[in-house]
Amino acid sequence: MEEATKFSYNGSEFNLSEVSDKARYFIRQIEDLRKQHDSLRVKLDQVSICEQSFSEMLGEELDTTEDVVEEEE
């Protein structure tokens, strides 16, 4: 993957080749954290949808159980 030659920070533009190694390290960390953030957002969406589905299935199961109990009475 090719690095961008310029980047913006707080409204200022910088040349990547002109910043310190430490600054480039921080930039890589920020980029990695953004990727992790996006990945975690996807995972959270998946977990939320699954939780909702299991809750709906539980409701259906409890309704079925309730119907059986009422029939037995």
Side-chain angles (χ1 to χ4, degrees), residues 19-29:
V19 299
S20 67
D21 288 342
K22 193 173 189 177
R24 283 192 292 275
Y25 172 76
F26 294 149
I27 292 165
R28 286 192 308 272
Q29 289 294 329

Side-chain angles (χ1 to χ4, degrees), residues 59-73:
E60 291 170 7
E61 180 64 22
L62 293 176
D63 287 344
T64 302
T65 303
E66 201 172 81
D67 291 342
V68 169
V69 170
E70 287 176 2
E71 288 176 8
E72 290 176 357
E73 291 176 354

Side-chain angles (χ1 to χ4, degrees), residues 27-39:
I27 292 165
R28 286 192 308 272
Q29 289 294 329
I30 292 167
E31 289 172 347
D32 183 59
L33 289 166
R34 286 179 179 159
K35 288 176 188 174
Q36 288 182 54
H37 180 264
D38 291 343
S39 178

